[in-house]
Every structure is written in C-alpha cells, then in structure tokens.
Amino acid sequence: MQYESLDNFLNSGQSALSKGPVALIFAEDETEVESTLHHHIGLGFKSVVAFMPVEFTLSHDLSTRIHRVTFRCAPRTVVFDAINRITKAAPSVWMYYCYNAEYLFYPFCETRSVGELLAFHTEERRNAMLCHVIDLYAGDLAQFPNGVAPDQAMLDSTGYYAHTRHDPTGRPVERQLDMSGGLRWRFEDHIPYERRRIDRIALFKTRKDLILQPDHTFNEAECNTYACPWHHNLTAAICSFRAAKALKSNAGSAFDISSFRWHNSVSFEWTSRQLLDLGLIEPGQWF
C-alpha cells in the first residue's frame, strides 16, 4: 500500500496500525533502504511502514510487503512529530522506530520473532525496551567512502560507558543511564554534545498521552528505565551505519577521518550471540 502523505496514512491506513508490533522506518537517504526493510520484515513485525520521498525507488516485490508513506525526514524533528501523531492514533500497540541502514537485534532473534520478544516483555510488566545504538562502519574507507559496507561491517568491541542520568535539579534519576561509545565517543569532536548518547527507547507500547522527545526519551519516566526495580530486563541493539554516514558526508568531518578502524575494531558477525558476548544486549530472564 502507498500513501501520499502522513495525513493520508493516518486517515486510510489504520489496518497497518491495528495490530502490533509495528515497525516505523524513516529513510533519510537511499542508503541500504531495501536491506533495512528486508531485515525488519524477517523479524516478524505485523506491519512495516516505510517513510520516504516519492523519488526513492523500491523493488516491486518489496513494495507489496510494506506500507509506504511519502515523507521527508528533514528537519530531524519531523520524525518525532510523526511518531507522536501515530502513537496517538494507535494506542496500546507495540511499536518500533529506526532509520535506514539500521538493523534491530535482540537476544535469540535468529529463532524467535519480535512478537515473542514483546509478549515476554509485556508479561514482565514492561511497556518499553531500552535499545543501544551500536555503530557499524566500513573497515576500508578508500573502498567504501560513505562508511557503509554491510558485507564488511565492523564495530567497536569495547569502549562503551554508562553515565548516571540527572534530572533538571541535579538529582540522579532512578534506573536511567546515559550511554556512550562507538564512533560518537571516538569522534566526539565532530558530534554535537546532545547527540552523543547511544541509548534509544526504540520499542514501546503506545499510549495517547505518551510523547517521544527529540532526545529519544519519553515524557513518562518509567519508559526510559533500563530495568524494573526487582530484576534485569531484556534489552536490544540497533546496529547502525547512521553515524558513519554522517561523519563521512559532513564537510566538517569527512576529510579529517581517513579510517574508522582502531585496535578494538572487530568484524560484525550479524548475530545476536556476538552482541550478547560483548555485553551489548541483555537477555534478562528470557532464555
């Protein structure tokens, strides 16, 4: 199905939002759009909704498997506005959002669907799931100057840090952390301070009064927590070329960076087991 605008989608695309989990994928450019859509279809989302300009091309086979909404992702705040409008239009539905060239991984995703993941998370009385955005990058920028190489992707095996989150009065916030690491940490001189965090609440159950804020947190404090008070919960990862793309397309950083590799770079195996072994996702009580 194709919709000429977000308004048109909200008016006539309710079938796509009637049953979750629903994936909302925002295409900022044409990089790896099809691989992103195929990956999330394979995880078992009930609906995959792609937001992209009309001039972006998709194969016919893929177009018949998704809901496509004509949309431009600039300025960046329009993505958050769109998610909030959809959230109000479809309450009590599990949703996920990401950008193109980003890929969701969660514990045992090779054998368990995203629906199974969220059914268990719901039983744990959780209405949101913390995701860590793990930067992927090309190991050879001479061969892949835009920093994107799915077949030769690399990631940092160490260098991830948790910082206590504070409220506006300076008090520590319970069970909330600001996470950093990856390219945003190693090349922080080129990244605005407010965009260096790698934590994102990308999986959440919608509510009419729930608002996603431009820093990827919600107006409901409990939705921003990494676990419930009594034990650890599941977490997921979004393996993302987005930072690599930005660093190599921005004139202020493109020519300063000749390589993303360092001594802690390892090849990405495209498996949840690797992410579990590195401590980047957490199985909680789900085995």
Side-chain angles (χ1 to χ4, degrees):
M1 291 289 292
Q2 187 157 341
Y3 307 88
E4 62 185 20
S5 66
L6 176 60
D7 286 338
N8 178 225
F9 174 64
L10 291 174
N11 289 332
S12 59
Q14 282 297 318
S15 61
L17 304 174
S18 61
K19 187 175 182 180
V22 176
L24 310 176
I25 297 175
F26 294 87
E28 299 174 298
D29 55 39
E30 293 189 81
T31 305
E32 296 297 330
V33 171
E34 293 211 354
S35 69
T36 305
L37 294 172
H38 277 299
H39 177 84
H40 291 91
I41 290 171
L43 293 178
F45 283 96
K46 295 296 184 182
S47 298
V48 173
V49 188
F51 298 81
M52 64 182 72
V54 67
E55 62 267 24
F56 287 13
T57 59
L58 290 178
S59 66
H60 175 73
D61 174 64
L62 187 54
S63 296
T64 62
R65 302 175 68 188
I66 66 165
H67 299 264
R68 175 171 177 165
V69 181
T70 299
F71 186 86
R72 291 192 180 275
C73 296
R76 67 184 295 272
T77 53
V78 300
V79 171
F80 300 93
D81 293 340
I83 293 170
N84 286 326
R85 289 187 63 190
I86 295 168
T87 295
K88 288 179 174 60
S92 299
V93 173
W94 275 101
M95 285 195 184
Y96 162 80
Y97 75 96
C98 73
Y99 301 87
N100 60 301
E102 295 193 323
Y103 309 87
L104 176 66
F105 281 81
Y106 50 83
F108 325 120
C109 61
E110 293 81 7
T111 57
R112 300 185 187 179
S113 71
V114 67
E116 292 175 288
L117 170 85
L118 296 173
F120 179 84
H121 205 53
T122 301
E123 290 174 0
E124 297 261 281
R125 290 183 285 167
R126 300 288 289 166
N127 292 319
M129 185 180 296
L130 172 66
C131 300
H132 296 123
V133 181
I134 306 302
D135 292 329
L136 301 179
Y137 48 88
D140 184 351
L141 292 181
Q143 185 178 1
F144 303 101
N146 69 344
V148 179
D151 293 337
Q152 300 181 38
M154 307 196 80
L155 77 163
D156 290 3
S157 61
T158 62
Y160 300 95
Y161 302 93
H163 311 272
T164 300
R165 183 174 294 170
H166 296 84
D167 67 17
T169 69
R171 289 183 179 179
V173 181
E174 182 183 2
R175 291 176 288 115
Q176 293 190 40
L177 296 170
D178 290 336
M179 304 297 297
S180 63
L183 298 182
R184 293 170 177 79
W185 169 63
R186 290 198 282 122
F187 297 95
E188 64 178 11
D189 289 350
H190 299 289
I191 306 290
Y193 177 79
E194 64 275 10
R195 298 191 194 173
R196 294 178 192 170
R197 287 180 23 243
I198 63 169
D199 51 275
R200 185 191 299 176
I201 309 299
L203 283 155
F204 60 98
K205 195 169 187 179
T206 59
R207 258 187 12 226
K208 286 194 173 183
D209 60 343
L210 195 64
I211 299 173
L212 179 64
Q213 301 170 133
D215 65 350
H216 297 285
T217 64
F218 284 94
N219 62 324
E220 169 60 50
E222 188 62 28
C223 288
N224 301 323
T225 57
Y226 56 81
C228 60
W230 47 89
H231 60 61
H232 290 300
N233 290 114
L234 280 155
T235 63
I238 299 171
C239 297
S240 170
F241 285 106
R242 194 165 176 241
K245 283 195 305 168
L247 287 166
K248 290 306 294 179
S249 63
N250 190 308
S253 56
F255 300 105
D256 291 341
I257 300 172
S258 59
S259 177
F260 287 133
R261 297 182 68 150
W262 68 321
H263 61 281
N264 289 319
S265 294
V266 296
S267 295
F268 182 42
E269 299 171 2
W270 294 93
T271 67
S272 62
R273 171 48 56 190
Q274 183 185 27
L275 299 170
L276 283 162
D277 290 344
L278 292 174
L280 298 175
I281 57 178
E282 165 68 54
Q285 317 300 306
W286 196 39
F287 297 102

